[in-house]
Amino acid sequence: VNAKRIGWAGVVLGAIAWYITLPPVLVRTPVPSILLALAAVAAGVATTRAGEQRLGRGAVLAGAIGAIGAVVATKSGVANLEKVFVWSALLAATLRFATPLLLGALGGILSERSGVINVGLEGMMLMGAFFGIFGADVFGSWFLGMLAGMAAGGVLALIHAVFSIALRADQVVSGVAVNFLAAGITGYVFIAHYGDQGTPGEVPSVPEIKLPLVKDIAFVGDAIGEMSLLTWMALLLVPLMALYLYRTPAGLRLRSVGEKPRAADSVGIGVLRTRYLAVVASGCLAGLGGVYLSIALVHSFNQGMTAGRGFIALAVVIFGAWRPYGALAGACLFGFSSAVAQRLPAFSESLAVLFQALPYVMVLVVVAGLIGRSRPPAAIGVPYVKE
Amino acid sequence: VTEPVDQLDGTPVAQTPASRLAAYIRGGGVIVPLLTALLAFVIGGLVVLITGHDPIATYKAIFEGTGLQWLFPWVTGPERETAALNLQQTLILTTPLILVGLAVAFAFRAGLFNIGGQGQYIVGSIAAVWVGSSFAGMPGFPHIVLAMLAACLAGAAWAGIAGLLKATVGANEVISTIMLNYVALWVGVYLFSQGGPLQNARDSSLPVSNDIAEPAHLPVFWGDPVLQGLHVGLFVALAAVGIFWLLLNRSTIGYEVRAVGLNPEAARYGGMNVAKNYVLVMAVCGLFAGLAGSLDVLGWQFRLATNDIQISQIGFLGIAVALLGRNTAVGTMAAALLFGGLLSGTSQRNLDPTIFEPQLASNLTTIIQGLVVLVVSADVLVLGMLRRGRGLFRRRRPVPEGEA
């Protein structure tokens, strides 16, 4: 039997260990869960021994989380559990929270695959959030608002690109700088234009797609029957991005620029041009994530409303090993933790505040390499100088 | 076993973008930072102009809000009294900025980028408010020292997490410190929000902490204590500047920190424990930032509201302060005064709203902050060219050691 299968079995066992204590199964004793979790840990150890360290650690972690989750669940009241773990609603909320992360992460993949670190995703998302709603308000159209938001993200990305590509600035510092710039610019225009009133209530928003037949199916209908257009777009972008990166000449060129720019240059690929395009495109995608926040999710803007989502998107890029499907998995994981955190006030109002920190703690766990580390593009962070 | 690599840029853990930056950033003298600040202010002025305000009048109003004209002997009478009040505010804000600036600068010198000053500042202020509002009846001086120590330890421990993650598994400190900021923020909001464990004991409807015990307030040495005069925390911050300089330039620890910052591989080859240095450096950074939190709490806030925690940006300003100050002791101090002035000059309290709206002005501060960091990130190139040019002409002469 190969090690990978054992590892994945471990991950699944860990998940099952938690799942059986939650609605609708609701086992009220932790014993079977703990046994399952131990099996998961054992599978993880075996996988690690067999050489699949990354997956092995993932299985061990899944076992640990499964056991802890199961113990907590069996200690809490059934009524509360049923209020929090409404799976269809949780899935819907997961996708809602995952959308901006996924769009930002896909942007991050483009930029970083071309060799430019993009710590500025946060600011680009913030630009998209403000100029999305600003554009929608001024032009009276969600579509033009969306374009304005993407353009604003792209413009900020262009600043980052000029500094990190042409001026060969330190990419992390330049990224941090554009984040400050975005916070200042959006806050300034927001106050100058809307003052103390805030954004108006009747700004046109991105339509939701209602699937006529799917909507009536019991579970699926509640989960995906009514999702924002942008959520669908984000989900659709994942295979498209994978196709682009791995199945087209342009994608190969992009990757070669991020791995071996000198070699790419020597076969006639424009390294700098490719990087410019990639960084600006990443800004547009992150901006689209921001547009989703302001005119699809909350229908208003407040200063600094991205609240670190751009940074989480960056963590999603790393978690997903710079791959589109990996980013999808990461975005759903963080989206799920946000979705659960959002529903926890059922247990305790004040504890729910604490759980707002959950996604950030998750990122820490991920960057700590507990789930394993992956190899970034070889030339990332290194400015390219043509000979 | 594979060598741990940095997650952001894939280089071996030891070589970070920040370490490359630190190597360049020591040169350039005082001219480059001055030009940097000037450029940022000019572009900020353009923003003011485009949005239909008078930039000259705006900057003049902001300058008057800083109270720095108190230094001019020809300013007299009631004008001088107002200036004194404003200057006290400027220096009150400069105090924590010096310390969070040092927190970022110290990391830079070791080749680390500490974006977590904000989180370290928050945990420091939480620790200080907890100690300062407990132990009622304790005499003032030991109580103050205890609260400061608690804040330093809390900040050091918080930053130490990032250092430990960097040293052991190569987790990029940029991402981990950013995440620790958000965790600190939500933990703080949780502690003092309604029903939270450290929420006000007398009024359960207010999302604030208990008040700092009266004897544990830092003494005010300039101005009226009732009107938020200048507290002695400024001298603590200035002492920290001295300690920073001594630690960096006159101690074995500082030698190792600088060596690791300049070239981690060489430092490792030379027998230094690079991983241990990362933890140590981050802990020292957190210590500075945590101390900043305690000075604000004990000096003029006297209590911590959830709102204070959520809107505070002091720690982030530390990045601009350190970069503009060239990561040196004296430079950081000067840059902190600049940003302290900008903060107080654009505050609701000091800026004349008929000339420029304070809410707009605080965003102008953020824009200027971003521009400063942006320009500094690029003047690395300018310095690099300067250095290369210098190398061509005076190949024999060693590059002069940057003074702190």
Side-chain angles (χ1 to χ4, degrees):
Chain A
V1 196
N2 79 31
K4 273 202 169 157
R5 276 203 201 136
I6 299 180
W8 281 113
V11 173
V12 171
L13 281 177
I16 293 175
W18 193 5
Y19 179 74
I20 56 170
T21 61
L22 300 173
V25 188
L26 273 176
V27 174
R28 297 303 288 162
T29 156
V31 179
S33 301
I34 288 175
L35 292 178
L36 282 169
L38 284 176
V41 171
V45 172
T47 313
T48 313
R49 287 260 174 85
E52 289 283 341
Q53 303 213 342
R54 181 180 156 85
L55 191 57
R57 267 180 293 188
V60 171
L61 194 69
I65 292 175
I68 295 168
V71 169
V72 172
T74 50
K75 289 242 185 290
S76 7
V78 174
N80 278 335
L81 284 178
E82 277 174 348
K83 226 183 275 171
V84 174
F85 289 92
V86 182
W87 289 104
S88 58
L90 263 184
L91 185 58
T94 297
L95 288 172
R96 270 202 300 278
F97 287 115
T99 303
L101 303 181
L102 184 55
L103 287 168
L106 290 174
I109 289 174
L110 272 184
S111 167
E112 306 221 334
R113 281 282 184 166
S114 82
V116 180
I117 300 173
N118 200 343
V119 183
L121 284 176
E122 171 81 4
M124 295 162 198
M125 204 179 268
L126 190 59
M127 291 289 272
F130 176 72
F131 286 96
I133 197 164
F134 185 60
D137 184 23
V138 171
F139 301 126
S141 142
W142 65 266
F143 184 75
L144 293 178
M146 184 178 86
L147 291 186
M150 290 177 73
V155 167
L156 195 73
L158 185 63
I159 298 177
H160 179 52
V162 168
F163 273 78
S164 51
I165 299 169
L167 299 178
R168 282 176 253 145
D170 186 283
Q171 295 170 3
V172 175
V173 179
S174 154
V176 169
V178 295
N179 285 337
F180 290 143
L181 270 185
I185 292 170
T186 56
Y188 190 97
V189 183
F190 174 67
I191 297 288
H193 195 262
Y194 293 109
D196 295 330
Q197 307 294 314
T199 47
E202 64 283 357
V203 177
S205 53
V206 181
E208 307 221 310
I209 306 288
K210 295 195 176 83
L211 300 172
L213 288 175
V214 179
K215 222 167 120 47
D216 299 328
I217 307 174
F219 177 83
V220 187
D222 290 333
I224 65 164
E226 209 177 320
M227 290 200 307
S228 169
L229 176 68
L230 288 180
T231 304
W232 283 110
M233 274 174 71
L235 292 175
L236 196 66
L237 269 173
V238 174
L240 286 180
M241 182 81 81
L243 203 69
Y244 164 74
L245 280 178
Y246 300 110
R247 295 279 181 273
T248 65
L252 179 63
R253 283 186 205 121
L254 179 81
R255 286 185 290 133
S256 69
V257 164
E259 294 287 342
K260 281 266 181 302
R262 184 75 66 208
D265 194 7
S266 69
V267 294
I269 299 169
V271 174
L272 303 187
R273 198 191 56 206
T274 307
R275 286 187 174 176
Y276 268 112
L277 286 176
V279 174
V280 171
S282 90
C284 293
L285 279 175
L288 189 60
V291 168
Y292 173 81
L293 283 178
S294 67
I295 59 173
L297 190 64
V298 295
H299 307 288
S300 70
F301 177 85
N302 52 301
Q303 291 194 49
M305 79 179 290
T306 44
R309 285 190 183 84
F311 295 124
I312 296 184
L314 193 64
V316 166
V317 173
I318 295 168
F319 175 82
W322 289 266
R323 293 193 178 96
Y325 285 106
L328 177 64
C332 287
L333 182 69
F334 292 116
F336 181 71
S337 75
S338 299
V340 172
Q342 187 204 27
R343 299 178 75 86
L344 281 174
F347 283 95
S348 148
E349 285 285 345
S350 69
L351 267 182
V353 175
L354 192 57
F355 272 100
Q356 301 262 10
L358 188 61
Y360 309 107
V361 175
M362 296 265 299
V363 174
L364 274 176
V365 171
V366 167
V367 295
L370 286 184
I371 309 186
R373 252 170 285 117
S374 39
R375 196 187 66 84
I380 196 167
V382 188
Y384 182 69
V385 190
K386 213 171 156 67
E387 272 180 338
Chain B
V1 178
T2 51
E3 178 84 354
V5 293
D6 189 285
Q7 286 164 329
L8 271 186
D9 59 12
T11 52
V13 183
Q15 286 168 354
T16 63
S19 70
R20 291 197 299 273
L21 183 67
Y24 285 118
I25 216 158
R26 298 173 312 119
V30 77
I31 303 295
V32 182
L34 283 179
L35 285 177
T36 301
L38 188 68
L39 188 62
F41 274 90
V42 167
I43 299 177
L46 283 178
V47 173
V48 174
L49 187 67
I50 292 167
T51 51
H53 300 273
D54 179 355
I56 308 281
T58 301
Y59 279 135
K60 190 163 172 284
I62 292 175
F63 181 77
E64 273 162 16
T66 65
L68 283 167
Q69 72 273 33
W70 183 86
L71 300 172
F72 305 147
W74 60 86
V75 178
T76 50
E79 232 182 294
R80 190 172 180 77
E81 273 163 37
T82 315
L85 283 178
N86 289 349
L87 187 57
Q88 286 157 20
Q89 294 309 306
T90 296
L91 292 175
I92 283 176
L93 289 166
T94 303
T95 302
L97 278 176
I98 292 174
L99 287 164
V100 291
L102 293 180
V104 179
F106 198 73
F108 260 122
R109 295 298 285 270
L112 296 173
F113 194 174
N114 175 19
I115 308 189
Q118 184 65 34
Q120 294 144 24
Y121 170 88
I122 291 174
V123 293
S125 51
I126 292 171
V129 88
W130 178 62
V131 173
S133 62
S134 316
F135 311 109
M138 208 173 153
F141 184 69
H143 201 172
I144 289 172
V145 172
L146 192 66
M148 283 185 185
L149 272 179
C152 289
L153 285 179
W158 200 250
I161 298 174
L164 201 64
L165 288 178
K166 173 94 180 173
T168 52
V169 294
N172 187 285
E173 79 280 5
V174 172
I175 293 186
S176 57
T177 51
I178 290 172
M179 292 303 137
L180 285 167
N181 285 340
Y182 286 102
V183 177
L185 187 151
W186 285 112
V187 168
V189 171
Y190 159 71
L191 289 174
F192 306 121
S193 64
Q194 275 135 335
L198 295 183
Q199 195 243 343
N200 197 294
R202 263 180 303 168
D203 189 346
S204 61
S205 69
L206 292 177
V208 296
S209 69
N210 287 323
D211 290 335
I212 299 282
E214 200 76 43
H217 290 196
L218 289 174
V220 167
F221 71 93
W222 186 28
D224 187 345
V226 184
L227 292 177
Q228 216 178 79
L230 184 56
H231 57 81
V232 294
L234 180 64
F235 297 116
V236 178
L238 292 177
V241 171
I243 290 170
F244 176 95
W245 188 87
L246 283 174
L247 197 62
L248 210 52
N249 298 301
R250 293 287 179 274
S251 78
T252 322
I253 295 173
Y255 178 76
E256 289 203 3
V257 165
R258 285 181 294 140
V260 169
L262 289 174
N263 190 337
E265 282 313 315
R268 198 193 309 273
Y269 189 72
M272 292 171 196
N273 186 341
V274 175
K276 191 193 83 186
N277 262 292
Y278 284 148
V279 182
L280 186 74
V281 166
M282 287 309 292
V284 171
C285 294
L287 196 145
F288 283 129
L291 184 60
S294 74
L295 295 184
D296 274 352
V297 164
L298 302 171
W300 61 279
Q301 288 180 316
F302 306 132
R303 49 166 35 183
L304 209 52
T306 55
N307 205 26
D308 295 330
I309 295 173
Q310 282 180 299
I311 61 174
S312 164
Q313 295 285 325
I314 288 282
F316 295 115
L317 273 167
I319 297 169
V321 167
L323 284 174
L324 188 62
R326 285 266 174 274
N327 304 321
T328 64
V330 177
T332 300
M333 201 166 62
L337 182 63
L338 178 81
F339 277 99
L342 206 49
L343 273 186
S344 80
T346 56
S347 66
Q348 302 270 5
R349 177 172 169 160
N350 293 5
L351 181 61
D352 183 354
T354 58
I355 296 173
F356 200 67
E357 213 180 314
Q359 270 184 300
L360 275 185
S362 64
N363 282 304
L364 181 66
T365 306
T366 313
I367 293 178
I368 290 176
Q369 172 191 3
L371 288 169
V372 163
V373 177
L374 196 62
V375 175
V376 172
S377 81
D379 73 26
V380 167
L381 174 75
V382 179
L383 286 174
M385 288 190 331
L386 277 178
R387 172 162 301 191
R388 240 167 283 148
R390 223 181 291 162
L392 281 180
F393 295 114
R394 308 177 197 165
R395 193 157 290 168
R396 295 274 164 76
R397 234 167 107 176
V399 180
E401 173 74 38
E403 283 300 305

